[in-house]
Amino acid sequence: MSGHTENDITIAAPLDLVWDITNDIENWPQLFSEYASVEVLSREGDKTTFRLTMHPDDNGTVWSWVSERTVDRQGRTVRARRVETGPFAHMDIHWKYAEIPGGTSMHWTQDFAMKPDAPIDDKGMTELINRNSRIQMELIRDKIEQRDRERRSATVS
C-alpha cells in the first residue's frame, strides 16, 4: 500500500512572487509554521540538497530529514524527494504552479509509503498530510498576499 495526497490553493498574487517566496528554502522557517530550521547542504544547478528540522511534536520528538529539491522555473514545477527517509519507505513531492485569473494556483502532490515499523501507517499519514497541507497552504497564501499588498503600496508611494 502507499499514500497519495493532492492539495491546491489559489494565491491572489503574481506567479513570479509566489514562485520566489515558496522556493526560497532558507526562508522556509518564516514561511511554514512547522519548520524550526533549514540547512542547505549543497546546490548543483537547479538541485538543492537540504536538511529540514521541525518544531517538536506533541510528544517532544523533533523530526529532521534531508531532501533533494529540483526546480524548473520555466516549466513552473518542482520535484523533491527525501534522501534520509526516516519513517518513510519513500517520499516524492511535486509542486506545480499556474497563472490563473486573479493570481496563482499552487498544487502539491505527495506520493509516499511508510516503513512497516513507522509510528503511523499510510492511511494515517495521508490524513495527517492532507490536514497539515491545507493549514500550511493557507498560511503561505496569507503571507504572500500580505507581501504583495505591501509591495504594491510601496510602489504607489
Side-chain angles (χ1 to χ4, degrees), residues 76-122:
R76 299 176 175 169
T77 62
V78 176
R79 295 215 175 261
R81 70 179 186 89
R82 283 193 180 198
V83 177
E84 288 180 6
T85 58
F88 293 90
H90 70 88
M91 167 61 89
D92 299 305
I93 301 169
H94 181 227
W95 287 13
K96 184 169 57 175
Y97 301 78
E99 214 165 358
I100 60 171
T104 302
S105 168
M106 185 172 66
H107 186 92
W108 293 351
T109 303
Q110 292 174 279
D111 290 298
F112 59 91
M114 303 308 295
K115 290 179 179 172
D117 61 345
I120 190 169
D121 63 11
D122 293 338

Side-chain angles (χ1 to χ4, degrees), residues 130-146:
N130 275 327
R131 185 171 53 252
N132 193 53
S133 290
R134 285 188 282 278
I135 291 167
Q136 296 304 314
M137 289 178 125
E138 290 171 3
L139 182 63
I140 289 167
R141 178 201 59 210
D142 294 348
K143 288 180 178 182
I144 292 174
E145 288 178 355
Q146 177 63 34

Side-chain angles (χ1 to χ4, degrees), residues 19-46:
W19 177 273
D20 290 344
I21 291 173
T22 58
N23 287 291
D24 178 4
I25 296 170
E26 288 89 347
N27 195 46
W28 279 7
Q30 287 73 48
L31 188 62
F32 291 83
S33 64
E34 61 191 344
Y35 299 141
S37 67
V38 62
E39 175 189 5
V40 173
L41 304 173
S42 69
R43 288 189 195 276
E44 298 173 28
D46 291 331

Side-chain angles (χ1 to χ4, degrees), residues 59-72:
N59 299 319
T61 303
V62 175
W63 298 94
S64 180
W65 63 90
V66 173
S67 290
E68 285 181 350
R69 184 176 173 82
T70 303
V71 297
D72 175 3

